[in-house]
Amino acid sequence: MTVHFPFQNSYSALPDSFFARVAPTPVAAPRLIKLNRPLAVQLGLDPDGLEPPEGAEILAGKTVPAGADPIAMAYAGHQFGQFVPQLGDGRAVLLGEVIDKDGIRRDIQLKGSGPTPFSRRGDGRAALGPVLREYIVSEAMFALGIPTTRSLAAAVTGEHVIRETALPGAVLTRVASSHIRVGTFQFFAVRRDTDAIRRLADHVIARHYPELLGAERPYHALLGGVVARQADLVARWLLVGFIHGVMNTDNSSISGETIDYGPCAFMDAYNPSQVFSSIDEMGRYAYANQPRIALWNLTRLAECLLPLFSEDQEKAVAKAQDILGAFSDTFSDGYQAGLRKKIGLFTERDGDNALIQDLLDAMAKNQADFTLTFRKLGDAAGDPAADDARAQFMDPAAFDEWARRWHERTALEPQTAAERQAAMHAVNPMFIPRNHRVEAVIQAAVNDDDYTPFEEFVKVLAKPFEGQPDYAAYADPPLPEQRVLQTFCGT
Ligand code: AMP
Ligand code: MG
């Protein structure tokens, strides 16, 4: 049986300067290690057809399915603040686009599928560890309700990739509402190709912001739309303790999805200056810096769009600044509203922000676990005798003082304790992909070819807001000797 991909490709119909046509490079002995069957169904693909042997060959890049028009996309980007005029898909190939069950166009891309004209000195391959990390974390983000690219499959190639040592190679099948980045605009801006910028902007509006099609100033509206989605996205990251790790402009999606999971991680103990990535020596992409960096990246996007705004440079800049000015309020509104929900408030009152800030300050000072403090606060809302939230604080008295004010505040609302607890448990996850667990799962797969821990972890993370008592250990923070302080790109 031949699996049918109902491709309807639009990006590869854009001008030749937007991409390079290149097929995946066949691999020796592909083996499918994970297929996301519900996602396959959502994409209109027959999951049985994606199973081995035929499915594995496609998902590892050994054969190209009918109707695919494989391309590597061109883009530039600021990496840690340094501009690189040409990056591009150096180890990824976009097979094509399908329209999913909700009518949304989705890219299907193979990551780690071999060299492309954009590979520079890279081998075009990915190692198994980072592929599993991206699978786990992207699917966990989806389950948490955060806009993200998704993972359709992971396959090992049967070949080794050479990093610091020889590691098993793997291919991730990534699904995104598109792979267009801030860096895609930068690629054309640095070449002063205004026609291409306009083509790209029109494509993006039609694809991601169709509600703006009739706008009087569609390119202004486009910048405003991306600003709003990125502000909302970063607020959501902060609300679950997520640190992207490499917020370069080439890893910043125009659709507002989280993209390019490299050395990302969730924090355990609350620490606003937390950094995990081994390559982020200056803390540029630290947890609390992420809103500022998102705005910095959006400012780079605005620069690219200036030629579409006005012939008059000064007017164009003034307009761009005006639009970028909305970031701060959109971010703060989303973040504060999210925090109010996290502590179980149904209404907004003067003093709420201070109450929340005092909790965060006490958490930072007392190395309280970010996820468990909020989750267990939900238990305390339901039953004042529940003291697991308190137990997260090195000095529990710091919590008691705060909790007294919190109970006073919640008492001003008519909701019952049970209602408050249910509302809090619906926004405060029990399970996040804790870094020490991610590492352990990767070690079992890479060292022992054992995917049982990976399977179980993915299953637990698919229901992050459910108690799942059988899997309670997955909610535990690391013991001191389990703590993983650094994450690596592995590229
Ligand atoms: P990333 O750090 O994954 O966002 O990648 C940054 C840039 O480096 C992109 O242009 C990638 O395509 C490229 N790149 C990363 N790893 C490799 C590799 N192993 N081979 C070729 N290009 C790569
Ligand atoms: Mg990237």
Side-chain angles (χ1 to χ4, degrees):
M1 188 185 67
T2 308
V3 57
H4 171 64
F5 282 73
F7 285 120
Q8 293 191 29
N9 305 324
S10 65
Y11 204 83
S12 63
L14 289 167
D16 284 349
S17 56
F18 282 57
F19 52 79
R21 285 210 150 74
V22 55
T25 306
V27 296
R31 177 162 63 99
L32 189 65
I33 53 179
K34 181 71 184 169
L35 174 64
N36 188 339
R37 293 178 64 97
L39 179 57
V41 172
Q42 170 68 17
L43 294 172
L45 304 173
D46 168 22
D48 290 334
L50 292 172
E51 295 283 0
E54 194 202 14
E57 300 213 336
I58 292 173
L59 297 168
K62 193 170 184 184
T63 54
V64 176
D69 191 1
I71 57 171
M73 290 166 67
Y75 53 86
H78 275 92
Q79 300 189 306
F80 291 89
Q82 292 295 323
F83 186 64
V84 185
Q86 179 164 315
L87 291 165
D89 289 331
R91 54 164 173 167
V93 163
L94 174 64
L95 288 179
E97 302 151 27
V98 298
I99 310 296
D100 77 7
K101 292 262 169 236
D102 296 323
I104 297 170
R105 185 176 291 275
R106 303 276 179 200
D107 277 4
I108 300 181
Q109 189 203 59
L110 301 180
K111 185 171 174 181
S113 56
T116 77
F118 302 110
S119 295
R120 293 172 293 162
R121 259 164 270 142
D123 59 2
R125 293 295 181 189
L128 177 57
V131 164
L132 294 180
R133 175 180 288 274
E134 175 153 357
Y135 192 105
I136 294 163
V137 183
S138 66
E139 287 301 304
M141 290 288 266
F142 170 74
L144 289 165
I146 298 175
T148 178
T149 62
R150 300 200 56 194
S151 297
L152 176 63
V156 286
T157 59
E159 297 172 1
H160 280 91
V161 296
I162 308 303
R163 298 295 181 256
E164 261 141 49
T165 55
L167 298 166
V171 174
L172 181 83
T173 308
R174 179 161 72 179
V175 174
S177 69
S178 86
H179 286 83
I180 302 168
R181 308 139 190 271
V182 169
T184 317
F185 282 90
Q186 291 181 295
F187 180 84
F188 298 111
V190 69
R191 289 163 179 78
R192 305 204 177 283
D193 188 346
T194 304
D195 286 339
I197 296 172
R198 190 174 293 111
R199 281 296 286 271
L200 182 61
D202 290 343
H203 177 88
V204 165
I205 291 172
R207 185 165 176 179
H208 297 302
Y209 299 88
E211 67 279 12
L212 307 181
L213 275 171
E216 200 181 323
R217 298 286 195 157
Y219 303 124
H220 292 172
L222 171 60
L223 180 60
V226 184
V227 166
R229 286 197 202 170
Q230 283 285 335
D232 177 68
L233 180 67
V234 175
R236 289 166 184 263
W237 287 357
L238 296 201
L239 291 167
V240 295
F242 178 72
I243 304 169
H244 182 285
V246 210
M247 286 177 72
N248 294 332
T249 56
D250 56 303
N251 295 337
S252 173
S253 155
I254 293 295
S255 74
E257 290 178 339
T258 312
I259 192 171
D260 263 5
Y261 293 87
C264 59
F266 281 70
M267 60 163 70
D268 295 300
Y270 178 63
N271 169 13
S273 56
Q274 178 84 55
V275 173
F276 283 101
S277 168
S278 63
I279 54 172
D280 189 4
E281 284 161 16
M282 308 292 287
R284 179 180 170 90
Y285 300 142
Y287 171 81
N289 235 8
Q290 296 181 115
R292 211 169 311 152
I293 292 293
L295 178 57
W296 192 89
N297 291 348
L298 290 162
T299 308
R300 306 288 81 76
L301 173 65
E303 287 163 358
C304 299
L305 295 174
L306 289 179
L308 307 187
F309 278 15
S310 169
E311 303 263 291
D312 180 335
Q313 170 89 4
E314 246 175 65
K315 268 193 196 159
V317 170
K319 190 65 208 172
Q321 281 171 339
D322 182 37
I323 298 167
L324 292 165
F327 179 91
S328 164
D329 279 352
T330 308
F331 166 75
S332 296
D333 290 352
Y335 180 59
Q336 294 298 344
L339 284 169
R340 275 199 303 277
K341 283 191 184 160
K342 284 180 85 70
I343 65 163
L345 301 184
F346 290 85
T347 53
E348 194 178 341
R349 280 177 183 257
D350 282 351
D352 285 352
N353 288 0
L355 181 68
I356 290 164
Q357 193 55 51
D358 290 347
L359 174 63
L360 292 173
D361 290 347
M363 287 167 65
K365 211 166 154 191
N366 285 278
Q367 296 174 26
D369 185 82
F370 183 80
T371 305
L372 284 184
T373 300
F374 287 107
R375 180 74 185 187
K376 302 298 179 182
L377 200 56
D379 294 341
D383 169 14
D387 62 358
D388 280 356
R390 180 177 197 273
Q392 304 304 316
F393 290 72
M394 270 182 342
D395 172 17
F399 175 77
D400 295 337
E401 197 271 326
W402 181 85
R404 189 185 45 74
R405 289 164 57 204
W406 176 58
H407 284 301
E408 271 174 29
R409 170 66 183 85
T410 55
L412 300 175
E413 297 180 346
Q415 279 76 16
T416 64
E419 282 167 345
R420 176 159 289 107
Q421 172 167 328
M424 291 175 75
H425 281 178
V427 296
N428 292 319
M430 179 80 159
F431 300 102
I432 50 152
R434 290 189 186 267
N435 215 13
H436 67 295
R437 289 277 178 185
V438 175
E439 288 296 337
V441 159
I442 290 173
Q443 291 311 319
V446 172
N447 300 337
D448 308 325
D449 198 32
D450 179 4
Y451 291 89
T452 335
F454 168 77
E455 285 291 342
E456 186 168 275
F457 197 33
V458 167
K459 195 175 102 183
V460 172
L461 292 170
K463 294 176 184 164
F465 300 105
E466 287 181 24
Q468 305 188 64
D470 290 350
Y471 299 104
Y474 284 94
D476 291 343
L479 299 170
E481 66 271 22
Q482 293 175 318
R483 230 174 260 157
V484 180
L485 298 173
Q486 277 204 323
T487 49
F488 299 87
C489 274
T491 49

